Amino acid sequence: TNEEVTAEELGGASAHTVKSGVAHGAFDNDVEALKQMRRLMDFLPSSNRTDPPRLPTHDPSDRECEMLKGFIPTDPNIPYDMKIVINDVVDEGNFFEIQPDFARNIVVGFGRVGGRPVGVVANQPTELAGCLDINSSVKAARFVRFCD
């Protein structure tokens, strides 16, 4: 077809994190990649025979999230950013999103509530009005299977 295609467009990080979803993240360098992988591992048990790591937190587990009381609009046609909601609910606003660039109409990742790791799956109203499509369904299903 005589089309000019760069190596990045053909099979680079962008193609696999944004379009195909094969890669879960792309980072600027090895140091950043290792830092983020350490952050991910902090949520996971060391084996299938141990419990996930529980960490101390300064956020009380029975706290009220005041921001939520007026955050979600009464008009269903006005989108809101679900990541803001998630960051308010999880301990100390520490949310680790998985595949942030793929199927942006759904958000999946790890956070902590009461110091315990939790998996989060949420529609993202700011992208495609939060409607599920094939990519978002696959992304959510993969994450739920991983958590199980």
Side-chain angles (χ1 to χ4, degrees), residues 40-141:
L40 169 63
M41 297 306 285
D42 281 343
F43 291 100
L44 306 176
S46 59
S47 76
N48 66 336
R49 296 179 182 192
T50 61
D51 290 331
R54 187 172 184 180
L55 297 180
T57 180
H58 298 292
D59 284 345
S61 58
D62 63 346
R63 73 185 183 280
E64 288 191 26
C65 300
E66 295 295 326
M67 185 271 306
L68 295 179
K69 290 182 179 176
F71 184 75
I72 298 174
T74 55
D75 182 351
N77 295 319
I78 298 175
Y80 56 92
D81 189 349
M82 192 56 149
K83 292 179 189 179
I84 294 172
V85 173
I86 294 167
N87 283 319
D88 196 52
V89 172
V90 298
D91 290 349
E92 299 169 20
N94 183 15
F95 178 66
F96 185 84
E97 187 174 0
I98 306 293
Q99 290 184 299
D101 298 321
F102 177 67
R104 293 180 181 202
N105 46 328
I106 198 154
V107 177
V108 300
F110 293 102
R112 282 196 166 75
V113 176
R116 295 178 187 267
V118 295
V120 176
V121 178
N123 293 51
Q124 176 57 292
T126 61
E127 300 287 334
L128 297 175
C131 293
L132 295 179
D133 57 9
I134 292 171
N135 287 341
S136 61
S137 299
V138 168
K139 177 180 171 178

